[in-house]
Amino acid sequence: MKKAITKFFCLVLCLMLTVSVTLASATEKSEIMPRLTGIDSQAVSLTISEYGRASCWCLILVSTGYTVDVIMDLEQDGTVIKTWTASGSSGGRVELSKPYYVAEGHDYQVVVTTRIKTLEGSYLFSYTLESHIKGY
């Protein structure tokens, strides 16, 4: 009888450990967010109206202590057809919202490249963010 009770408690203990490890792993995965040096947040969007008006948009929130140059490209079938640029400084935001009429029968995508620089203007590195591909 003692052996049966001991086995039962060992089984319960093993199950409790398994459940707690699984829950800890799930919690850790949902809380991990990539940290982007020089950028607090970034977003990109592309919509195309039924009349072929592409609305290209991006938003970059600049971290304190950095400056950025933002290049927003509209691509048609992987080739750049239009480019817009803007700059932003420490603690500010860069938002580009541009329309462009596109031709039917192609795939379109907005690609945003953000060049991170020091306050003195020295280039550090770049990030690239892409919208979903939209067919028109």
Side-chain angles (χ1 to χ4, degrees):
M1 182 71 168
K2 260 185 164 179
K3 286 185 180 184
I5 292 174
T6 304
K7 285 183 182 180
F8 174 75
F9 282 118
C10 286
L11 178 63
V12 170
L13 182 60
C14 287
L15 286 173
M16 287 174 42
L17 287 173
T18 303
V19 169
S20 63
V21 168
T22 303
L23 289 175
S25 296
T27 303
E28 289 173 12
K29 288 179 185 172
S30 65
E31 293 177 2
I32 295 175
M33 295 291 292
R35 171 107 171 100
L36 301 175
T37 302
I39 296 175
D40 290 332
S41 183
Q42 61 180 346
V44 63
S45 173
L46 171 63
T47 58
I48 302 175
S49 75
E50 62 183 301
Y51 305 106
R53 185 179 191 264
S55 296
C56 308
W57 175 84
C58 72
L59 174 66
I60 309 295
L61 300 181
V62 185
S63 300
T64 301
Y66 298 90
T67 63
V68 298
D69 292 328
V70 178
I71 302 160
M72 182 170 71
D73 292 325
L74 175 61
E75 294 183 353
Q76 178 186 63
D77 300 325
T79 301
V80 176
I81 59 171
K82 184 66 180 172
T83 299
W84 299 274
T85 61
S87 297
S89 58
S90 181
R93 63 187 273 152
V94 177
E95 185 171 11
L96 288 167
S97 182
K98 301 293 183 180
Y100 191 81
Y101 282 90
V102 296
E104 288 183 87
H106 299 279
D107 290 329
Y108 296 92
Q109 184 175 36
V110 171
V111 178
V112 176
T113 303
T114 304
R115 296 174 46 90
I116 310 297
K117 300 185 296 183
T118 64
L119 290 175
E120 294 77 30
S122 299
Y123 169 78
L124 297 172
F125 44 83
S126 296
Y127 295 113
T128 300
L129 185 63
E130 300 174 341
S131 71
H132 291 289
I133 296 171
K134 303 277 185 174
Y136 175 71

